[in-house]
Amino acid sequence: MRILHTGDWHLGKTLEGRSRLREQEDFVDELVRLANEQQADAILMAGDVYDSVNPPASAEQLFYEAAARLTENGRPLVVIAGNHDQPERVASVTPLVNRQGITLVGMPTSEVVTIHTNRTGETAQIAALPYPSEARLNELLTTDGDENVLRQAYSRRVGMLMQRLAASFRPDTVNLAMSHIYVLGGVESDSERPIQVGGAYTVDPSALSTGAQYTALGHLHRAQAVKGEGVIRYSGSPLAYSFSEAGQSKSVTMVDLAPGAAANVEEVLLTSGRPLVRWKARGGLAEIYRWLDEGRDPQAFIDMEVWLDDAMSLKEIQQLRKSHDGIIHIRPVYPEMAAAGLLEQRSELPVHELFRKFYQRQTGGALPEDSLVQLFLELVDEDEPGVREEVEGQ
């Protein structure tokens, strides 16, 4: 049996207001092509179908189209809800799709998922656990406010749920586990926003000691293996969703299995999606424009730091943005800021405070009138989308 493991599609997600829908459509095209070329017998989608509990209609339509195309030749597809998903929404179309070989698991359950493959005639048992928050488990794990106590209780509870599901494993079946959780030892990125990553809702790898031949995980956006019993792996997200993922290769995982045999794992790299890159131009705007003239990263989204002696005007910012449609952030770096180590601090300040500091620096310490600050904010709001984020670096 050949399994294609994917996850964290985050359909409907944007990047600072820029739509990623076309890239996600390209990914679906590539996924369908890979599933056919790689002769995948089944697809496991390990959660976070959508980026929010109330996704746009275009995101839902893309998911339904993807599900239909992936299963049109009788190939089973199993999908679990992630923390970004509304579990009832994900599972709501179950009556319409069950006969097409599509299994949608919204809430944690004690029922194992059973699938059959036409090509090999094999059966797989899947211990499928959607994102198991306390709310979705409908229970309070502990009344102790200590984070370590809660983490241990949560890990034990996840382990119990997985063991209960794995009780259906048989020697003559391919035995798989799948969940959307943060397993200790995994490396996260900024786009796994705030969902207890690295906090109390983490799981010890021992909780996944179910006897599964392969454990397919979702939640972390970097494709990676996790140390533990058997083969435990995150497929990662298909697109880079934050600049903390700049430079990462995106992929899906192909797994060859037979009853009682060790899993043979292959990472298949994806080509769809615009890359996310970071530019650090210590040579100032001249260096930026030289890179643009050279055609550097023509298809990328760009997070830019540019070393300057004088402040950029809004007109200069607009001109720079128009020179490349992928420029997301423009963060000027001034000599005194670099020397004082203020680069990290400035990103935490609201835009009006950043303007006040900028005005003080330019005027030798004078404070701007409130009316001037308000006028600046109005100008920013009236300008093109994204300018507010860019001037925050000033």
Side-chain angles (χ1 to χ4, degrees):
M1 182 181 297
R2 192 157 170 79
I3 301 292
L4 190 157
H5 168 205
T6 180
D8 292 278
W9 293 0
H10 289 271
L11 301 180
K13 187 173 179 62
T14 61
L15 180 65
E16 300 290 351
R18 269 74 164 186
S19 173
R20 311 295 300 277
L21 182 62
R22 179 58 184 271
E23 296 171 82
Q24 291 169 338
E25 291 172 343
D26 290 344
F27 157 67
V28 168
D29 289 342
E30 184 173 15
L31 183 67
V32 172
R33 178 177 57 78
L34 284 174
N36 293 333
E37 291 178 353
Q38 296 282 334
Q39 296 185 309
D41 295 305
I43 313 291
L44 301 186
M45 198 288 172
D48 279 353
V49 176
Y50 305 115
D51 190 55
S52 69
V53 296
N54 187 29
S58 57
E60 290 189 289
Q61 181 177 345
L62 181 57
F63 171 58
Y64 299 147
E65 289 176 352
R69 293 173 64 189
L70 288 168
T71 59
E72 62 184 4
N73 294 320
R75 180 191 294 120
L77 166 67
V78 181
V79 179
I80 59 174
N83 57 285
H84 286 255
D85 298 315
Q86 166 57 258
E88 290 83 4
R89 181 187 291 272
V90 169
S92 63
V93 295
T94 291
L96 297 177
V97 300
N98 257 355
R99 294 182 180 180
Q100 303 302 119
I102 301 171
T103 303
L104 306 173
V105 188
M107 296 292 285
T109 175
S110 59
E111 297 182 9
V112 71
V113 175
T114 302
I115 60 173
H116 305 278
T117 63
N118 296 329
R119 184 177 65 87
T120 66
E122 293 170 312
T123 298
Q125 303 279 32
I126 307 170
L129 179 65
Y131 178 65
S133 66
E134 281 186 292
R136 297 184 189 184
L137 293 174
N138 196 29
E139 61 182 287
L140 182 65
L141 295 174
T142 178
T143 58
D144 194 311
D146 184 85
E147 185 175 288
N148 288 329
V149 173
L150 178 55
R151 186 185 66 79
Q152 293 171 13
Y154 182 75
S155 190
R156 285 195 300 270
R157 188 71 180 99
V158 169
M160 291 172 59
L161 291 167
M162 296 300 291
Q163 288 291 341
R164 184 185 304 168
L165 289 164
S168 297
F169 289 170
R170 304 199 313 259
D172 63 335
T173 59
V174 171
N175 298 319
L176 304 167
M178 176 166 62
S179 191
H180 192 89
I181 50 178
Y182 176 80
V183 178
L184 289 173
V187 180
E188 69 269 18
S189 65
D190 291 346
S191 53
E192 292 113 20
R193 57 172 160 74
I195 32 185
Q196 298 92 26
V197 167
Y201 290 94
T202 56
V203 176
D204 191 274
S206 62
L208 301 179
S209 299
T210 61
Q213 296 163 265
Y214 180 80
T215 299
L217 296 179
H219 193 19
L220 300 186
H221 290 184
R222 181 191 295 268
Q224 59 192 288
V226 177
K227 292 183 179 179
E229 180 184 285
V231 181
I232 306 171
R233 185 171 175 84
Y234 286 96
S235 65
S237 62
L239 304 179
Y241 283 124
S242 79
F243 284 100
S244 65
E245 299 170 51
Q248 288 184 19
S249 296
K250 296 300 182 177
S251 63
V252 296
T253 304
M254 299 299 305
V255 190
D256 287 302
L257 299 134
N264 182 26
V265 176
E266 177 188 2
E267 184 178 7
V268 180
L269 297 180
L270 297 170
T271 61
S272 51
R274 296 177 67 167
L276 271 60
V277 300
R278 282 180 163 143
W279 286 6
K280 294 183 182 292
R282 296 181 181 273
L285 286 173
E287 186 170 28
I288 292 291
Y289 280 111
R290 184 172 71 252
W291 290 343
L292 292 170
D293 289 341
E294 293 169 354
R296 181 174 179 175
D297 299 318
Q299 301 302 317
F301 287 118
I302 302 169
D303 176 84
M304 179 189 300
E305 283 189 358
V306 52
W307 269 247
L308 297 172
D309 293 321
D310 299 312
M312 296 175 66
S313 67
L314 289 178
K315 182 177 181 180
E316 289 176 315
I317 292 173
Q318 291 174 334
Q319 181 180 350
L320 187 56
R321 290 185 67 242
K322 289 176 181 177
S323 65
H324 191 302
D325 69 355
I327 294 176
I328 302 297
H329 300 134
I330 302 172
R331 295 200 303 275
V333 179
Y334 300 102
E336 63 271 25
M337 295 175 68
L342 296 177
L343 296 183
E344 292 78 16
Q345 296 180 25
R346 64 180 185 175
S347 63
E348 300 173 0
L349 294 174
V351 66
H352 65 277
E353 289 297 332
L354 288 165
F355 176 72
R356 291 180 191 276
K357 290 183 176 294
F358 164 74
Y359 186 90
Q360 284 181 278
R361 183 175 65 248
Q362 295 298 108
T363 61
L367 292 174
E369 297 288 339
D370 289 343
S371 58
L372 180 60
V373 175
Q374 184 60 36
L375 177 60
F376 171 77
L377 293 175
E378 291 174 0
L379 288 172
V380 171
D381 285 334
E382 290 174 0
D383 219 306
E384 297 181 40
V387 173
R388 175 183 283 266
E389 287 81 0
E390 289 158 0
V391 299
E392 286 180 355
Q394 298 187 44

